[in-house]
Amino acid sequence: MTRVLAAAGAQQADAAAAPAGPGAPLALCAPLAALADAGLEVPVLGGGVVRHVNLDVAASAPALDSVVAHVARLLPYYASVHRGSGYPSQAITALVDEARATVAGHVGARDDDLVVFTRNTTDALNLLASAVPGETVVLDIEHHANLLPWRERRVVAGRATIAATLEALDAELAARPAALLSVTGASNVTGEVLPIDRIARLAHAHGARIAVDAAQLLPHRRVDLAASDLDYLAFSGHKAYAPFGAGALVGRADWLDEAPPHLAGGGAVGAVGIGGVDWKRGADRHEAGTPNVVGIAALARALAELERLGDECRREHERALTERLHRGLAALRGVRVIRGFDDADDRLGIATVELERGSVGLLAAALAAEHGISVRAGRFCAHPFFDRVARRSNGLRASLGAGSSADDVDRFLDALARLVADGPAHAYERTPGGWCPRVDDRPRPEID
Ligand code: PLP
């Protein structure tokens, strides 16, 4: 498997020259940012290589080139944070402090909000769950990360429209108060964006706080805690082009200062005696142990880079490609796009389809093995939502990001149309790990 940068340049030129369809400016259909996987070639069954098309960005996004460069620059200085007297240790300590400020600034944190670095969104929401002094209300559309951690949980079933769903939330909170309402900013199944400003007003009107699972939303849109009056925000670096193992929980300090430390250990304590411990307050309380310096620095750099790209530019790029994707899917026979809400008029570059006939798992395997296209098949860790809105047991999800191009969308639509009409060209078998080519002659990548 080769990474051919010259080929990447050629592909980008192709993508820019491709007909973008009505209303989609040509330049916006080229990749918006340089990513580590640009121009990656992958082998296909029967021999040969093709340019990889990454439409599984909602699961994990490749690193931005600028993030990779930043990490490479910091590695020579890698040293312990907060404990070392050496020059590298102090440089790295300053970098982590700056990263915290960058993250806070990017998400519009208030001066007294905490930025706690975590492993990912799941970790951030589990931390918050340990701090909530009462019940949490969630919708059934949530990813399991925002469904399972809450100890005292009430689940409200989504309705056919967002408007009716907000009425149901309103009624639930009016009937019985809750400490927290935790909602996703955008569905990881349908890409539908929820009106978080309105939901924040609704929660506050009933005396509840609001947390937003921004795992999907934040990499695509500017999210601002203060402007939207959100109390907490959770997100992951690996979905925001910084796949180095860090995420964050940002928000109000009081509950977090009262909560049991997320991890017990060094760094989270003021003083320790055999008989008792003086736990710190603030972010330190929940960040015991040696922090993931590389992940934290990468996350901050990625958010700074997204800010540099600009919210409007990112929206335009995504809007053009998402329209192209949905237009193409709507024209395909035998394929149904899954929707959560009839009135959702804003969505990220995510589309999940189900098939009238056949297995999406088989199709996903064939897309990868025969066409070099990565998508995802399954229920996307949102089982209650998927089971309510889908007709079949599994869907196939294509998701776009800053590295996506019109050419990516077209290759996917073309390959999907051919697979739905004619089936795969090779034989596959179902294994405990999913569908696999019966004979797989693709070489393993040389990663050493
Ligand atoms: N929330 C949403 C909406 C997601 O899409 C995901 C992951 O796909 C998560 C939470 C969990 O994120 P992580 O695996 O980074 O903890």
Side-chain angles (χ1 to χ4, degrees):
M1 195 179 299
T2 359
R3 181 167 181 240
V4 186
L5 288 172
Q11 284 292 354
Q12 292 186 12
D14 285 345
L26 291 181
L28 290 173
C29 290
L32 195 61
L35 296 169
D37 71 341
L40 182 73
E41 294 186 329
V42 293
V44 288
L45 293 179
V49 293
V50 294
R51 183 180 68 83
H52 178 235
V53 171
N54 186 354
L55 296 183
D56 195 17
V57 182
S60 274
L64 283 159
D65 276 358
S66 55
V67 169
V68 176
H70 183 59
V71 166
R73 279 196 300 272
L74 81 79
L75 281 177
Y77 295 93
Y78 182 80
S80 75
V81 178
H82 295 311
R83 292 174 201 123
S85 57
Y87 184 84
S89 179
Q90 295 192 352
I92 287 295
T93 301
L95 201 69
V96 169
D97 291 344
E98 282 159 22
R100 209 181 293 278
T102 300
V103 171
H106 182 78
V107 299
R110 294 150 294 240
D111 288 347
D112 50 358
D113 281 338
L114 296 185
V115 175
V116 183
F117 288 117
T118 61
R119 285 177 291 180
N120 47 37
T121 306
T122 306
D123 197 26
L125 291 171
N126 273 269
L127 163 59
L128 181 58
S130 73
V132 182
E135 293 185 330
T136 299
V137 168
V138 293
L139 287 169
D140 70 347
I141 69 167
E142 301 299 334
H143 186 282
H144 297 165
N146 191 26
L147 202 57
L148 303 181
W150 313 108
R151 287 175 300 191
E152 299 174 66
R153 178 188 69 191
R154 281 149 50 198
V155 183
V156 174
R159 307 295 203 263
T161 60
I162 290 178
T165 303
L166 297 202
E167 279 171 24
L169 276 179
D170 194 41
E172 176 69 26
L173 291 170
R176 206 162 102 213
L180 182 72
L181 171 61
S182 189
V183 290
T184 189
S187 163
N188 66 309
V189 178
T190 64
E192 290 161 326
V193 175
L194 292 186
I196 51 175
D197 294 34
R198 272 169 61 201
I199 299 176
R201 285 196 293 277
L202 188 154
H204 292 153
H206 293 289
R209 289 189 179 181
I210 179 166
V212 170
D213 168 355
Q216 293 300 336
L217 189 62
L218 182 106
H220 300 263
R221 301 282 171 85
R222 182 76 196 272
V223 186
D224 191 302
L225 273 157
S228 296
D229 202 11
L230 310 176
D231 298 294
Y232 302 96
L233 204 62
F235 49 92
S236 301
H238 73 100
K239 293 186 195 288
Y241 312 104
F244 292 88
L249 175 69
V250 185
R252 310 258 181 220
D254 51 356
W255 288 1
L256 294 169
D257 280 342
E258 293 302 318
H262 194 41
L263 292 173
V269 290
V272 181
I274 297 303
V277 180
D278 167 25
W279 296 105
K280 285 185 181 166
R281 298 163 84 82
D284 284 354
R285 183 183 186 84
H286 300 293
E287 292 181 354
T290 301
N292 175 3
V293 170
V294 174
I296 291 168
L299 172 60
R301 177 49 64 108
L303 297 186
E305 182 66 13
L306 291 180
E307 195 148 324
R308 199 188 62 76
L309 287 171
D311 195 43
E312 202 40 49
C313 189
R314 287 194 288 147
R315 280 173 185 256
E316 277 304 311
H317 174 253
E318 186 159 345
R319 189 158 36 232
L321 295 181
T322 306
E323 277 174 23
R324 192 179 186 102
L325 175 63
H326 279 277
R327 241 191 346 261
L329 289 173
L332 278 186
R333 280 164 175 253
V335 157
R336 172 181 173 263
V337 177
I338 291 175
R339 299 193 61 164
F341 303 108
D342 295 340
D343 60 346
D345 57 2
D346 188 11
R347 60 187 167 197
L348 304 181
I350 293 177
T352 296
V353 297
E354 52 186 353
L355 301 176
E356 269 169 24
R357 240 171 292 114
S359 157
V360 285
L362 173 60
L363 242 62
L367 279 167
E370 297 177 21
H371 300 274
I373 300 171
S374 293
V375 294
R376 180 153 299 230
R379 288 190 285 167
F380 318 106
C381 293
H383 294 180
F385 180 44
F386 195 88
D387 292 346
R388 180 165 62 76
V389 296
R391 296 178 191 158
R392 304 290 307 270
S393 56
N394 287 293
L396 182 141
R397 180 180 73 185
S399 52
L400 308 164
S404 302
S405 68
D407 186 53
D408 291 348
V409 173
D410 294 350
R411 270 190 49 201
F412 167 65
L413 291 170
D414 186 52
L416 185 64
R418 280 197 271 156
L419 286 169
V420 169
D422 306 328
H426 293 256
Y428 293 77
E429 61 193 6
R430 204 173 186 157
T431 71
W435 286 92
C436 294
R438 191 162 292 156
V439 178
D440 196 344
D441 57 359
R442 291 172 295 168
R444 295 280 298 274
E446 285 169 24
I447 305 173
D448 50 20

